[in-house]
Each structure stands twice: as structure tokens, then as C-alpha cells.
Amino acid sequence: MAQVSMTVRMDAGIKAAFDSLCQQFGMSANAAMNIFANAVVMQRRIPFEIKAYQKSANEDFKNAFYALRESARKNGLQNMTLEEINEEIRQARLERAEREKASL
């Protein structure tokens, strides 16, 4: 089978660590990349799970909800009805509008 060359760009630190690990495994980085490429072709998938470890936006929203719920509990507001909540919002909007009008 004909051999071809392929260029891969990566962070210099990752490259150095990769080369060092490959050497510990007793192979070159080139051999490791060939093993990877063969596994992808044979399995028709990336041969390992690719996963994001960064916190998701949903987790941030969930944490914000729990913080608000705890604040409501501490302030005795956890049993407000929807009508009471809407009235609080309406009052807050009126007060904000009055402040904005007064600052003009």
C-alpha cells in the first residue's frame, strides 16, 4: 500500500507529552497516529468517548433556581401564589419606572 504524509497541527506542550508517552509505550508518535487512524476506519467511529467536561448552561440555571428557592425559604416567601408573585413583579416594575422618570 502506498504511503502518504499527513501534517497535524497541535499545541507544542501536547505534542511533547504525546511524544514522551509514545516513547514510554515503545512506539513513535507516527505509529500511534497510524494505530488511531486504523481503529477509526475499522470501527467506523472515534474509538473513545468524546465528552465535554465544562459545566452546562442547564446546570447553571438549575443552581440559580435552587439558590432562589433557598432565598425564598429563608425570607418566608416560598408559599406565595402566582398572583402574589405577579403583583410583586408589577410593583417592582412600577418602582423602577418611577426611578427612571425621576432621574431624567
Side-chain angles (χ1 to χ4, degrees):
M1 187 180 292
Q3 297 286 311
V4 296
S5 180
M6 183 173 93
T7 302
V8 177
R9 294 191 181 278
M10 69 176 65
D11 177 83
I14 295 292
K15 170 74 166 88
F18 184 68
D19 285 341
S20 176
L21 282 169
C22 287
Q23 187 176 25
Q24 291 175 33
F25 299 151
M27 69 177 78
S28 67
N30 188 60
M33 293 302 289
N34 276 301
I35 291 169
F36 171 74
N38 280 309
V40 169
V41 170
M42 287 185 348
Q43 296 178 28
R44 300 186 56 78
R45 66 179 188 86
I46 303 295
F48 50 82
E49 182 179 6
I50 298 175
K51 185 176 179 179
Y53 291 101
Q54 195 171 22
K55 253 192 333 186
S56 71
N58 287 340
E59 189 175 332
D60 289 338
F61 294 139
K62 183 176 72 173
N63 290 338
F65 169 77
Y66 289 142
L68 285 171
R69 186 167 69 178
E70 179 61 19
S71 177
R73 187 191 65 74
K74 284 181 180 176
N75 293 308
L77 303 173
Q78 76 271 19
N79 293 322
M80 289 179 72
T81 66
L82 182 56
E83 290 79 20
E84 291 170 325
I85 293 169
N86 286 332
E87 180 59 23
E88 289 280 328
I89 292 169
R90 190 183 72 73
Q91 287 293 328
R93 287 177 176 162
L94 283 173
E95 290 172 11
R96 183 179 62 199
E98 288 174 8
R99 282 193 309 270
E100 289 173 358
K101 189 176 180 180
S103 67
L104 295 176

